[in-house]
């Protein structure tokens, strides 16, 4: 008789899992600390929203609310909305775009400056979205467009701002999912249109506002809202943050905005 022997499928599966974990650990460990912090905050808030679905409703930007019932809480949504996402697909796509873009920019400008840019640009993009939504609405007839009534959330505004800022000085061709190539300066707008075609529920106005902030950033339109280099250098030297700023993953300020 033949005695059946157990295969090594279980061992192969375990080895594959261990290898995947090690790759994930190395990938996460290589991310600069500010980009990593934004990533962790976004993932944590999304996990919290899965446990408490109303979190999105209380933290997203709602132009209608800011227009007709302004309050400190409604205004605070401009700050919180970029770090909240509507679905797993939403956060996965945004993090796949943000981590390489944010990490590359952080290595150029420094960790403290990147954190400031993410918070400021995210808040400013949402504020611009509210202004655009109100401008596109008909207050006389009470007719409101989708941008006025939708609950806007996600880091897309920041991502498009960074992308627009980055490509202004580039002349290379960018591949669009491997199907065709476009000029660097046209790439952000092609992506805005393509994302809107693939995901009609995406905030078109929000993405456009992010692009506008990117142009303002590149052409020094945000200069007055940016602290001086010595302020970011002071953060690098802050004793209270020494355990963070002494990390090899913390990038000291470069003295300019990129």
């Amino acid at each position: 008789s033949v005695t059946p022997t157990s295969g090594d499928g279980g061992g192969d599966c375990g080895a594959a899992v261990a290898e995947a974990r090690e790759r994930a650990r190395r990938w996460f460990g290589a991310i600069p600390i500010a980009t990593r912090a934004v990533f962790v905050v976004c993932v944590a808030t999304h996990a919290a929203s899965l446990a408490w679905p109303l979190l999105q409703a209380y933290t997203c930007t709602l132009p209608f609310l800011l227009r007709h019932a302004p309050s400190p809480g409604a205004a605070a949504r401009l700050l919180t909305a970029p770090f909240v996402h509507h679905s797993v697909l939403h956060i996965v796509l945004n993090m796949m775009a943000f981590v390489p873009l944010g990490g590359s920019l952080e290595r150029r400008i420094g960790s403290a400056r990147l954190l400031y840019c993410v918070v400021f640009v995210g808040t400013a993009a949402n504020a611009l979205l509210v202004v655009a939504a109100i401008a596109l609405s008909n207050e006389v007839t009470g007719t409101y467009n989708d941008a006025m009534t939708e609950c806007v959330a996600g880091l897309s505004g920041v991502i498009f701002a960074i992308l627009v800022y980055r490509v202004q000085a580039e002349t290379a061709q960018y591949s669009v999912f491997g199907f065709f190539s476009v000029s660097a300066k046209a790439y952000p707008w092609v992506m805005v249109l393509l994302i809107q075609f693939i995901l009609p529920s995406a905030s078109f106005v929000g993405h456009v506002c992010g692009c506008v902030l990117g142009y303002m950033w590149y052409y020094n339109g945000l200069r007055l809202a940016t602290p001086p280099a010595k302020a970011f250098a002071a953060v690098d030297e802050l004793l209270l943050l020494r355990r963070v700023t002494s990390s090899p993953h913390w990038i000291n300020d470069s003295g300019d905005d990129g």
Side-chain angles (χ1 to χ4, degrees), residues 42-213:
C42 288
V43 171
T45 54
H46 187 68
S49 71
L50 294 177
W52 186 45
L54 285 178
L55 179 64
Q56 294 180 10
Y58 283 110
T59 53
C60 67
T61 295
L62 191 58
F64 185 88
L65 182 64
L66 279 164
R67 174 66 180 86
H68 295 285
S71 68
R77 292 166 176 260
L78 301 175
L79 175 63
T80 59
F83 305 102
V84 180
H85 292 78
H86 289 304
S87 66
V88 172
L89 178 62
H90 189 198
I91 190 171
V92 167
L93 292 177
N94 272 0
M95 293 304 100
M96 286 177 63
F98 173 74
V99 169
L101 281 173
S104 175
L105 184 61
E106 182 176 352
R107 293 182 182 95
R108 291 171 56 189
I109 67 176
S111 299
R113 193 179 293 265
L114 179 82
L115 284 175
Y116 175 81
C117 288
V118 168
V119 173
F120 176 78
V121 171
T123 303
N126 277 303
L128 187 59
L129 179 145
V130 172
V131 173
I134 293 173
L136 293 172
S137 297
N138 191 328
E139 294 286 341
V140 176
T141 62
T143 303
Y144 300 108
N145 54 71
D146 291 340
M148 190 70 171
T149 56
E150 67 181 342
C151 189
V152 181
L155 206 62
S156 301
V158 174
I159 293 169
F160 275 106
I162 294 176
L163 184 58
V164 167
Y165 179 86
R166 171 181 171 176
V167 302
Q168 293 312 299
E170 296 187 10
T171 58
Q173 294 283 305
Y174 274 58
S175 174
V176 180
F177 299 128
F179 292 109
F180 59 92
S181 297
V182 297
S183 66
K185 293 183 179 180
Y187 182 73
W189 295 104
V190 172
M191 292 305 297
V192 167
L193 296 176
L194 192 58
I195 289 174
Q196 201 62 37
F197 176 76
I198 298 173
L199 300 171
S201 60
S203 175
F204 177 75
V205 176
H207 293 170
V208 170
C209 288
C211 289
V212 171
L213 262 295

Side-chain angles (χ1 to χ4, degrees), residues 9 40 170 206 220 225 227 257:
V40 169
E170 296 187 10
N220 293 325
D257 56 8

Side-chain angles (χ1 to χ4, degrees), residues 1-27:
S1 61
V2 178
T3 303
T5 58
S6 59
D8 60 354
D12 290 343
C13 182
V17 171
E19 182 179 358
R21 286 179 177 173
E22 179 60 22
R23 287 183 177 181
R25 186 191 66 79
R26 290 199 300 266
W27 170 81

